[in-house]
Each structure stands twice: as C-alpha cells, then as structure tokens.
Amino acid sequence: MSASAKRRVLTGDTPTGCLHIGHWVGSVRRRVEIQETHECFFLVANLHAYTTRADRPDDIRNDCFNVVRDALAMGIDPDKAAIFLQTEIPAIMELTYLFAMLLPYNRVMRNPTLKDELKVKGLEDNYSFGFPLYTVGQTADILAFRAHDVPVGEDQVPHLELTREVARRFNKMYCGVPEKAEDRDHVELGGVFPIPEADVGAVGRLIGTDGVQKMSKSLGNAIQITDTPKQVRKKLGRMYIGTDNRQPTDPGEVDPAKNPLFQYVETFLQDPDERAELRDRYARGDDLGDGVVKVRVAECISELLEPMQERRRQFESDDVVMDILHDGCRRAIAATEETLERAREAARLDFFPRQVSI
Ligand code: TRP
C-alpha cells in the first residue's frame, strides 16, 4: 500500500517528563501497533506546555527530549512514524489563527475539558489568553495533517468535537460542501479536510503502584522505563489491593476493576493459561498469597522493560534525538504545507507561493 492510500493518524502529548508504563499501557503500546498499518504522525505538543509553564522554557525543552527518547525506547520506529515538535510546524500556527475566526468565542469556552483544567489547576479567574486558544490550536494540529484517526483518551473527546466542527465549517464555507453533507462525504464533495474520528478504544488507563490513583509521575506511583528489577519489585510490594491481611487461603477478588493487582496480571502476564490459573487459584484461595502474585507481576514488568532499557541506550545522546526530530519535522512540514496550500487557496489567501525548509 502506498503512503497516500493508508489512513493517516495524528496524535500527540504535552511533554511533561519521562514516560512510564502507564503511558505504555495507555497509548504507546497501541501506537507501536498502528505505525505498521497507518501513516503516523506523533506530535510533541511543546507549545501547549507553555500554557501553564511559560516561565520554565528549559524544563519544557528537556521534557521534549525525555518523551521522545522514551517513546523510541518503547518501540516507536522513526522510519515508520514521524515524531515532531509542534513549534517547528508553521502551518499549525497559521491554521490556528484562521480557525479561531471560524469558532464563536462562547463555543470555545464551553468545552468541558477546558473548564475542568481551569478548575483543577486553580486558574479559574487568572489564566492567559493562550490557555483557551490551545484548544483551537489542537484542531489545527489535527487538521493540518488532514488526519483520519486520532487515538486519544476520553478527556480529549471534546477537543475532537471542536475539530470536527471546524473541519465541517471550513469545508462548507470555503469549499462548496453542501450544508447537509454527511461527514464521510466531505472530501469527495471537494472539502479540504476529512472529518477526523477519535479512536478512544485505543487508549487505556493503568492504575498506579499505590493501587488507588491513575499512574502518574507527580503522584509518585509510577514505574519508569529505567527502573531496575529490584525497584519494580519494591514498588509493587507496596501496592494496596483493597484488603488488609488477606491470607493465601482466603478467596480473593480477581476482577481487575476491583483489584488493581489483577489489572496488572491481565496487562503484564503474556501467557493466557498462566493468567487463568492465577485467577482460578486466587479466587478459590488455593494457597496463593498476594506477595507471590506481586513478585510474578514484577518479573513480567521487568521482562517488558529490559528491551526498552536496551533500546533507550541507543538514544541517550541529544544529537541522536535531534536528528530524529529533524527528520520528523521535515516530513511533518511537507505534509502540512500541502494542506496549507489547499486551505489558503480555498480561503482566497493564496497570494504568493512559498516554501518552508529546515
Ligand atoms: N492535549 C493533548 C494532551 O495534553 C495533547 C495534544 C496536542 C494532542 N495536540 C494534539 C492530542 C492533537 C491529539 C491530537 O494530552
């Protein structure tokens, strides 16, 4: 299949530091799969990081290197997928401004994810102009690539809705797509932008090693790629699984939604027979203590991490990461300049042709 016949995928992350196994379970694992079948663009949303950390540019720059290094360690293949920095793509900036004109102010502010963030971050009456603008920017991240599929977590769905609205509006306003057109027909009817779809099923959520909250570096309940087998064992040893003093002969809870240890068993043990046996023995209380299960899970996690740690060593140097980003940015620029050219023509902004090179 030629690149253009493949469906195009765009997704991204705001760089917040190193990746942990929660990211692997939640999204990277799936990306490693789809890079084989889709034309993939993975964005490092470094400009978005400035919405809340504009005063810490060095940290943000560092975090860019860390997320890219870890994504590569986890198996993202830079020959297959383009990994790139948001701020190196001028088409994203230009489309953000243009799209901002197509969206009523109140529509942007109604976004539940945006409202939530303002509340959680305590920013409700003191946020930058750029904070709500990032949601418009995200529509440009996606549409600049004319992406078909956007693998994201549930919390990003409102941003995808906004993106779909912008795409429909643009296509109808500037490309002659009829008012009542079905989403899937937009491109055939002359629209510049396919109406992108959120691929929510592709993203899961791993509980942290505290057994209570979602895995997150800032909560201190994360297993990092670089953790040694001993560190992994220790972290798992501390996991609270909802019962105090369970004896190996007590019947136990094996529903992964109720017992975090079994979420780990289901996620990290490769062999389905072994999983079934552990479930069965644990549920019946057939002499299976929590500690034994934890040790086994820890072993499997370390087996998963070993090749990642190996690969990570190849990407230790900043120069190597820079080369990969350079190549990714070039490919991203090529794809997005083509979109921009079409969009500028549609919106009667095609005064002079131009070329971007890095
Ligand atoms: N807002 C997303 C997050 O913080 C990151 C992001 C930026 C993104 N642009 C995107 C995700 C485009 C998907 C598509 O997780």
Side-chain angles (χ1 to χ4, degrees):
M1 216 187 319
S2 74
S4 57
K6 287 184 185 172
R7 280 176 79 85
R8 208 177 250 187
V9 167
L10 178 291
T11 190
D13 307 285
T14 306
T16 50
C18 289
L19 300 182
H20 50 64
I21 61 168
H23 295 112
W24 182 77
V25 170
S27 55
V28 183
R29 175 170 59 166
R30 169 77 178 144
R31 292 179 196 177
V32 171
E33 274 171 25
I34 54 180
Q35 68 183 354
E36 302 296 335
T37 49
H38 291 63
E39 190 190 0
C40 289
F41 291 93
F42 298 140
L43 160 136
V44 180
N46 60 331
L47 187 58
H48 287 196
Y50 281 72
T51 51
T52 52
R53 296 194 287 159
D55 57 338
R56 298 189 14 224
D58 290 325
D59 289 354
I60 296 174
R61 196 178 168 105
N62 248 328
D63 285 346
C64 291
F65 283 100
N66 284 328
V67 288
V68 171
R69 194 170 275 129
D70 283 349
L72 294 165
M74 287 181 177
I76 300 294
D77 180 344
D79 292 329
K80 292 179 180 143
I83 309 174
F84 66 97
L85 297 159
Q86 192 176 36
T87 48
E88 291 300 315
I89 314 302
I92 291 178
M93 313 304 146
E94 292 188 39
L95 288 174
T96 299
Y97 209 141
L98 185 58
F99 292 162
M101 311 302 176
L102 303 188
L103 286 165
Y105 181 78
N106 292 331
R107 170 65 186 88
V108 174
M109 300 312 290
R110 218 166 49 227
N111 183 326
T113 296
L114 177 68
K115 284 197 208 165
D116 239 41
E117 281 173 317
L118 291 174
K119 198 179 292 163
V120 172
K121 294 176 180 163
L123 298 172
E124 270 162 307
D125 25 49
N126 180 26
Y127 55 87
S128 69
F129 192 81
F131 200 97
L133 185 63
Y134 99 76
T135 63
V136 183
Q138 187 157 339
T139 71
D141 293 339
I142 297 164
L143 296 179
F145 289 85
R146 283 171 290 133
H148 303 101
D149 300 309
V150 187
V152 281
E154 198 71 55
D155 61 320
Q156 299 292 305
V157 170
H159 298 335
L160 246 293
E161 264 321 307
L162 192 72
T163 308
R164 291 157 61 82
E165 274 180 49
V166 172
R168 287 187 198 109
R169 199 156 300 147
F170 187 101
N171 289 342
K172 289 174 186 174
M173 199 176 275
Y174 297 133
C175 312
V177 171
E179 195 50 45
K180 293 221 148 57
E182 299 281 345
D183 285 346
R184 62 170 180 280
D185 297 333
H186 271 237
V187 171
E188 210 170 301
L189 292 166
V192 169
F193 300 109
I195 313 302
E197 284 173 34
D199 183 0
V200 176
V203 178
R205 191 166 268 233
L206 184 70
I207 202 141
T209 55
D210 55 1
V212 183
Q213 280 174 293
K214 183 184 163 186
M215 186 173 282
S216 148
K217 188 177 140 203
S218 58
L219 295 172
N221 63 2
I223 295 176
Q224 306 289 335
I225 294 191
T226 47
D227 283 354
T228 63
K230 198 169 154 196
Q231 285 171 311
V232 173
R233 242 188 345 262
K234 201 162 157 202
K235 286 181 180 177
L236 270 173
R238 286 197 297 253
M239 178 185 276
Y240 179 64
I241 57 170
T243 41
D244 293 309
N245 275 333
R246 176 188 168 269
Q247 299 302 309
T249 47
D250 291 343
E253 177 61 73
V254 294
D255 180 348
K258 295 188 186 137
N259 182 347
L261 185 54
F262 271 82
Q263 189 192 7
Y264 278 58
V265 167
E266 298 303 333
T267 308
F268 297 108
L269 268 62
Q270 297 296 316
D271 177 3
D273 293 340
E274 188 187 359
R275 291 201 299 267
E277 192 201 321
L278 283 188
R279 261 198 313 268
D280 177 57
R281 284 184 53 203
Y282 193 90
R284 286 190 291 111
D286 179 11
D287 196 24
L288 184 60
D290 296 335
V292 176
V293 181
K294 287 177 172 180
V295 167
R296 180 67 191 126
V297 168
E299 244 169 43
C300 293
I301 291 176
S302 292
E303 273 168 36
L304 171 74
L305 295 184
E306 204 182 284
M308 294 181 187
Q309 292 169 355
E310 179 77 36
R311 263 194 303 265
R312 201 176 192 282
R313 280 192 273 278
Q314 289 171 240
F315 305 114
E316 211 65 65
S317 110
D318 281 359
D319 288 347
V320 171
V321 174
M322 278 295 269
D323 282 347
I324 288 168
L325 282 173
H326 196 195
D327 180 60
C329 289
R330 273 208 207 103
R331 282 148 71 190
I333 287 171
T336 56
E337 283 300 305
E338 191 186 329
T339 306
L340 188 63
E341 197 177 305
R342 294 192 204 181
R344 292 191 345 141
E345 191 182 335
R348 306 296 315 278
L349 291 165
D350 54 332
F351 290 98
F352 304 107
R354 67 156 195 219
Q355 277 195 335
V356 179
S357 66
I358 56 170

